[in-house]
Amino acid sequence: MSSSLAANGDMLVILRHAPHGSSWLREGLDAALVAAAFGQRVSLLFQGDGIMALVPGQEPGALGQKGTAATLDMLAMYDIESFYADASALDRFDMAPDDLQLPSLPVDGATIAQLIASHRLVLTF
Amino acid sequence: MRYGLLVQGAPYSSQASHSALRFATALIARGHQLECVFFYHDGVYNASRLAAPPQDEPHLVDAWRGLNAGHGTQLQVCIAAALRRGLLDERESARHGKTGHSIEPPFELTGLGQLVDLGNQVDRLVTFAP
């Protein structure tokens, strides 16, 4: 568990929705990519159900919705490399940091508050 | 203070638009500047020129227009979120070979880059989501 954060940035994008039930995750990731393309230093926080985005293999399914796995793979090309995962959600879903598609730092509630405070702009999806 | 709003809820489906409008009115009454309202996700439906709510409900689209007319607030709509939901202005309608359009000024279709710019310009960017 991290208690101090090395990273800060221009924008924190908080992703709170799982991949397939809605377009929240896709549209949140789109906002992160565009911000990075505009030169912002972007961090991503996967919170609550949002950590399901980090389960590998979120490909398009039978419903024909776009998958998000490929988008997560693109983040590095946009220099988005600061990833945080809500530790309580990891516990709740019995997920370990090694299970995640992106190397994400588990963060507790107090650290999430620090993250929000250390970014000038916060968008929540 | 200079404010921007990000609205992500569809009108009448969720509280987001109603709350955002109340907040907008309060800001202006207190002497703040509301630079822009940016509509994203299902919030893009707030821009539909064809909205026809019953008379005993507030007309949210007209209320947004009123903010522009009375206060000069820009009303920007994410083009990618709008197009896939069937919200097109005259130019996009023609470009996609459609008849009719569902967005008209003062609402304008713009990119998400404008949201990033807005976040950098204003003192506070406040999100209203379902």
Side-chain angles (χ1 to χ4, degrees), chain A residues 47-109:
Chain A
Q47 191 174 22
D49 288 355
I51 64 158
M52 305 301 270
L54 295 168
V55 176
Q58 302 305 313
E59 307 293 345
L63 301 181
Q65 296 166 306
K66 274 175 84 171
T68 47
T71 311
L72 295 193
D73 284 338
M74 282 167 49
L75 294 170
M77 282 194 296
Y78 287 76
D79 294 324
I80 301 178
E81 286 162 340
S82 300
F83 306 117
Y84 303 92
D86 171 3
S88 65
L90 290 174
D91 283 346
R92 182 151 48 93
F93 293 106
D94 197 21
M95 291 163 63
D98 287 347
D99 300 336
L100 309 179
Q101 183 181 343
L102 298 170
S104 308
L105 187 65
V107 285
D108 61 15

Side-chain angles (χ1 to χ4, degrees), chain B residues 39-101:
Chain B
F39 300 93
Y40 189 45
H41 192 74
D42 285 349
V44 297
Y45 290 114
N46 282 279
S48 172
R49 64 187 280 268
L50 300 171
Q55 285 188 352
D56 61 349
E57 288 185 51
H59 196 307
L60 297 173
V61 180
D62 281 354
W64 294 122
R65 286 194 192 107
L67 274 183
N68 171 268
H71 192 66
T73 300
Q74 289 183 288
L75 304 173
Q76 298 188 341
V77 184
C78 171
I79 188 166
L83 259 56
R84 60 162 65 93
R85 290 175 173 86
L87 291 156
L88 292 79
D89 62 9
E90 272 189 298
R91 202 180 76 156
E92 290 301 319
S93 176
R95 199 164 74 84
H96 290 271
K98 308 282 188 187
T99 50
H101 62 284

Side-chain angles (χ1 to χ4, degrees), chain A:
Chain A
M1 187 85 55
S2 158
S3 59
S4 66
L5 292 171
N8 56 11
D10 301 312
M11 185 189 287
L12 175 67
V13 176
I14 303 180
L15 300 163
R16 298 180 305 142
H17 288 81
H20 298 282
S22 70
S23 65
W24 282 110
L25 177 64
R26 288 194 304 279
E27 291 190 309
L29 288 170
D30 283 350
L33 290 171
V34 169
F38 274 66
Q40 306 290 298
R41 289 176 302 148
V42 178
S43 308
L44 298 186
L45 167 63
F46 297 87
Q47 191 174 22
D49 288 355
I51 64 158
M52 305 301 270
L54 295 168
V55 176
Q58 302 305 313
E59 307 293 345
L63 301 181
Q65 296 166 306
K66 274 175 84 171
T68 47
T71 311
L72 295 193
D73 284 338
M74 282 167 49
L75 294 170
M77 282 194 296
Y78 287 76
D79 294 324
I80 301 178
E81 286 162 340
S82 300
F83 306 117
Y84 303 92
D86 171 3
S88 65
L90 290 174
D91 283 346
R92 182 151 48 93
F93 293 106
D94 197 21
M95 291 163 63
D98 287 347
D99 300 336
L100 309 179
Q101 183 181 343
L102 298 170
S104 308
L105 187 65
V107 285
D108 61 15
T111 312
I112 289 172
Q114 280 180 39
L115 266 180
I116 291 170
S118 66
H119 290 77
R120 211 186 48 72
L121 187 59
V122 179
L123 295 181
T124 305
F125 295 96

